[in-house]
Amino acid sequence: MLYIKNGRLYTQSFSFELPEDMCFVSDPSVVSPDTIIVETYDGRFQIDIGAEEFDKSPYGEIAQILAYDENENVGNIFPVERNGMSGYASFYRNGGWSYEYYEERLGYPMNSEGQNGFVLAITHEVENDEQRDQIEAFMKRDNIKRMIESIKYEPEACARVMETN
């Protein structure tokens, strides 16, 4: 379940500030129950953020994504920490370089919904050579940086917020 209060989105285990100047993707065929998808007005950048049940470790989850034949790793898998959650991330692209990606998988203790992982995934649609390598700059935009930095693992606070309403 997702709950919004005072500009923050709460799940069973983590919360984050909703990004300004973004559009919600509301197509139920692409949105899973504990994930929110937002995108830029032009649709070129999309952010998926939510909870999942990991079958593997966070490193294993990232390594599995990079193992798909159509994906090409752009850098190394590197460690990431976000306010009480730790895991791994990587930048990669598809074979034709029409899309670039940033994927982050962070683990936390299993919650009451059976989820033990946090996902942050950013997709960039590339239309020409000049548009390549734009995800890092996108992540540094004030509204996106603020959202990413606001991500917190706080199951007790999330429960309190949901119980009071």
Side-chain angles (χ1 to χ4, degrees):
M1 176 192 333
L2 302 174
Y3 184 80
I4 299 170
K5 183 173 183 176
N6 297 329
R8 280 188 86 76
L9 185 136
Y10 293 85
T11 72
Q12 295 293 323
S13 299
F14 66 88
S15 70
F16 62 92
E17 182 180 312
L18 291 169
E20 293 184 9
D21 301 323
M22 300 289 286
C23 305
F24 284 99
V25 175
S26 58
D27 180 359
S29 68
V30 297
V31 179
S32 59
D34 286 333
T35 300
I36 187 169
I37 300 174
V38 293
E39 65 184 15
T40 54
Y41 188 71
D42 63 7
R44 290 216 164 89
F45 288 93
Q46 188 174 71
I47 301 172
D48 295 38
I49 188 168
E52 279 190 15
E53 183 178 339
F54 290 167
D55 294 330
K56 300 173 177 33
S57 68
Y59 186 92
E61 293 282 331
I62 293 291
Q64 181 177 334
I65 292 166
L66 297 176
Y68 292 135
D69 288 339
E70 65 269 8
N71 293 336
E72 296 179 15
N73 196 357
V74 176
N76 295 321
I77 297 175
F78 55 92
V80 178
E81 297 225 7
R82 299 226 181 270
N83 295 313
M85 297 183 289
S86 61
Y88 292 89
S90 184
F91 292 93
Y92 64 98
R93 65 178 185 242
N94 68 342
W97 207 337
S98 56
Y99 288 94
E100 298 173 324
Y101 306 93
Y102 171 79
E103 295 272 345
E104 187 173 295
R105 299 292 189 268
L106 305 172
Y108 56 77
M110 187 172 291
N111 64 23
S112 61
E113 301 290 315
Q115 300 156 332
N116 60 348
F118 170 83
V119 175
L120 173 64
I122 300 174
T123 304
H124 173 226
E125 183 179 357
V126 178
E127 291 184 345
N128 57 52
D129 291 347
E130 292 80 39
Q131 293 179 347
R132 292 181 175 170
D133 299 317
Q134 296 297 311
I135 287 186
E136 286 188 81
F138 175 74
M139 292 172 72
K140 291 178 182 175
R141 291 182 185 177
D142 286 342
N143 62 330
I144 305 307
K145 183 177 178 181
R146 192 170 39 254
M147 181 209 65
I148 292 171
E149 289 175 351
S150 77
I151 297 166
K152 294 180 185 177
Y153 172 70
E154 52 182 1
E156 294 84 15
C158 291
R160 278 193 308 274
V161 166
M162 291 184 193
E163 287 172 4
T164 59
N165 293 296

